């Protein structure tokens, strides 16, 4: 398996200036981000929001796969039918107590919300990588990820691969239009005009 260790330069103001931090080799993320998008499509197929996540160790091994389960019943093995049944939380509930969380990378198809981003920080996950920014529901709208005290030890890698960002935006756009207020949908149309056209 590939090693996910990267030399990523932090750019604290990427959100406000529309910049993506430079990455030494963005392709190292591709397989994992593609998996999150596949999980997102599976969620959509069963009536949940199209968001997927995988948790990867320092050796590039996937230790947990999750997807949004808000629209699905809860089971003995899975949190479902609850507002907290986001893809990232699905991953964290599966794993339980994290061993060496600083060596883990959380990959998601969509920028985490405040709950999932906050949980990642509190659990001391070493890196978060997402395929597509969420200009309304993503935590970055309300706080600068790298400026938040709880996130100082977490490396943030937003949207490293433009093709996958486009794919994720197209996948989530109908949900953004359905679930977000007019202001949120306007932010999505501004950020992703091509992907939201005709939705």
């Amino acid at each position: 398996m590939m090693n996910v260790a990267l030399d990523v330069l932090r750019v604290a103001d990427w959100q406000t200036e529309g910049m993506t931090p430079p990455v030494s080799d963005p392709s190292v993320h591709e397989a994992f981000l593609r998996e999150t998008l596949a999980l997102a499509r599976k969620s959509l197929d069963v009536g949940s929001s199209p968001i997927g996540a995988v948790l990867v160790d320092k050796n590039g091994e996937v230790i947990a796969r999750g997807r949004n389960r808000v629209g699905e019943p809860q089971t003995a093995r899975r949190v479902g039918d609850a507002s907290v049944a986001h893809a990232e939380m699905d991953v964290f509930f599966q794993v339980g107590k994290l061993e060496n969380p600083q060596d883990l990378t959380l990959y998601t198809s969509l920028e985490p919300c405040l709950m999932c981003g906050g949980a990642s920080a509190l659990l001391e996950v070493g890196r978060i990588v997402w395929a597509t920014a969420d200009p309304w529901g993503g935590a970055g709208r309300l706080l600068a990820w790298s400026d938040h005290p709880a996130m100082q030890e977490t490396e943030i890698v937003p949207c490293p691969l433009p093709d996958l960002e486009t794919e994720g935006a197209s996948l989530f756009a109908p949900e953004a239009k359905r679930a977000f207020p007019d202001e949120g949908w306007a932010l999505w149309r501004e950020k992703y005009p091509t992907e939201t056209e005709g939705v």
Side-chain angles (χ1 to χ4, degrees):
M1 289 297 292
M2 68 184 84
N3 190 320
V4 296
L6 292 177
D7 177 22
V8 177
L9 303 174
R10 287 178 178 252
V11 179
D13 58 354
W14 69 269
Q15 292 122 327
T16 57
E17 296 183 12
M19 297 168 47
T20 300
V23 178
S24 59
D25 182 9
S27 66
V28 75
H29 303 301
E30 184 171 0
F32 302 120
L33 290 175
R34 284 195 184 283
E35 186 164 359
T36 69
L37 291 166
L39 288 162
R41 284 188 287 278
K42 186 171 182 182
S43 284
L44 186 63
D45 290 344
V46 295
S48 288
S49 296
I51 304 169
V54 295
L55 192 61
V56 177
D57 70 15
K58 68 181 179 181
N59 299 314
E61 298 292 331
V62 175
I63 60 173
R65 293 169 172 85
R67 58 183 179 77
N68 187 288
R69 295 174 184 275
V70 172
E72 301 170 47
Q74 185 160 324
T75 69
R77 296 190 61 207
R78 301 280 189 184
V79 172
D81 194 28
S83 297
V84 297
H86 290 193
E88 301 89 340
M89 301 305 286
D90 185 26
V91 164
F92 293 144
F93 283 126
Q94 286 178 60
V95 175
K97 184 170 177 59
L98 298 179
E99 299 295 328
N100 302 311
Q102 70 281 357
D103 294 333
L104 302 177
T105 299
L106 175 68
Y107 287 93
T108 69
S109 60
L110 189 69
E111 177 184 358
C113 69
L114 280 173
M115 173 181 70
C116 297
S120 301
L122 291 172
L123 294 169
E124 301 178 346
V125 171
R127 181 183 299 115
I128 304 173
V129 183
W130 59 80
T132 303
D134 185 348
W136 173 258
R141 183 174 71 89
L142 302 174
L143 57 89
W145 282 90
S146 60
D147 290 347
H148 192 277
M151 300 297 287
Q152 292 301 304
E153 301 303 317
T154 301
E155 185 178 348
I156 304 298
V157 184
C159 312
L161 297 158
D163 289 349
L164 297 188
E165 181 177 9
T166 296
E167 184 178 336
S170 296
L171 182 63
F172 193 78
E175 176 71 5
K177 182 177 183 181
R178 183 197 68 77
F180 296 157
D182 291 341
E183 178 186 358
W185 180 234
L187 288 174
W188 262 80
R189 288 196 329 264
E190 179 182 337
K191 173 79 175 168
Y192 297 113
T194 303
E195 295 80 358
T196 57
E197 186 177 357
V199 173

